């Protein structure tokens, strides 16, 4: 299934983009928000904040790498980013993280 097929299925859906830090969650969330015309919140790292943001809205994207372990508990479509571990470590070192 490609993006154009998925795009029609996720219209008016709450979306959480999560995965390890430095896996591309920000890039993906930004691209989706721009393409779909959704409101986006970056670096959502608190579960209660995510619940509060998601509740009253339908066309919303949360970029939330810190919520990877809790995303399945939220009422939203989940996009899980993956990236080779060694590339993540390289970026962590580059940004002194």
């Amino acid at each position: 299934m490609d993006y154009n097929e998925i795009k029609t299925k996720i219209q008016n859906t709450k979306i959480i983009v999560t995965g390890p830090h430095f896996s591309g969650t920000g890039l993906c969330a930004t691209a989706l928000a721009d393409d779909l015309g959704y409101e986006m919140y970056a670096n959502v790292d608190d579960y209660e904040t995510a619940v509060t943001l998601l509740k009253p809205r339908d066309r919303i994207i949360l970029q939330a790498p810190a919520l990877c372990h809790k995303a399945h508990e939220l009422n939203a479509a989940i996009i899980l980013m993956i990236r080779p571990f060694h590339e993540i470590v390289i970026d962590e070192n580059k940004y002194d993280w």
Side-chain angles (χ1 to χ4, degrees):
M1 183 176 286
D2 70 9
Y3 173 66
N4 288 320
E5 291 175 296
I6 294 170
K7 185 176 172 178
T8 61
K9 296 175 194 268
I10 61 173
Q11 291 295 323
N12 299 316
T13 303
K14 302 166 193 210
I15 300 171
I16 298 170
V17 181
T18 191
H21 289 278
F22 295 98
S23 65
T25 59
L27 179 66
C28 178
T30 301
L32 282 172
D34 288 347
D35 189 47
L36 299 172
Y38 281 24
E39 185 176 11
M40 186 189 105
Y41 291 85
N43 295 314
V44 178
D45 61 0
D46 177 71
Y47 181 79
E48 293 304 320
T49 300
V51 170
T52 301
L53 288 170
L54 290 171
K55 193 173 268 186
R57 298 170 179 87
D58 285 329
R59 298 170 54 88
I60 183 172
I61 296 176
L62 303 183
Q63 183 253 346
L67 293 180
C68 190
H69 68 294
K70 300 282 271 181
H72 66 283
E73 297 177 8
L74 297 165
N75 184 24
I78 300 168
I79 296 175
L80 180 63
M81 302 298 292
I82 59 172
R83 185 177 183 196
F85 180 72
H86 72 279
E87 291 180 13
I88 291 173
V89 171
I90 290 168
D91 269 358
E92 286 176 347
N93 291 331
K94 183 172 27 174
Y95 294 102
D96 203 25
W97 194 69

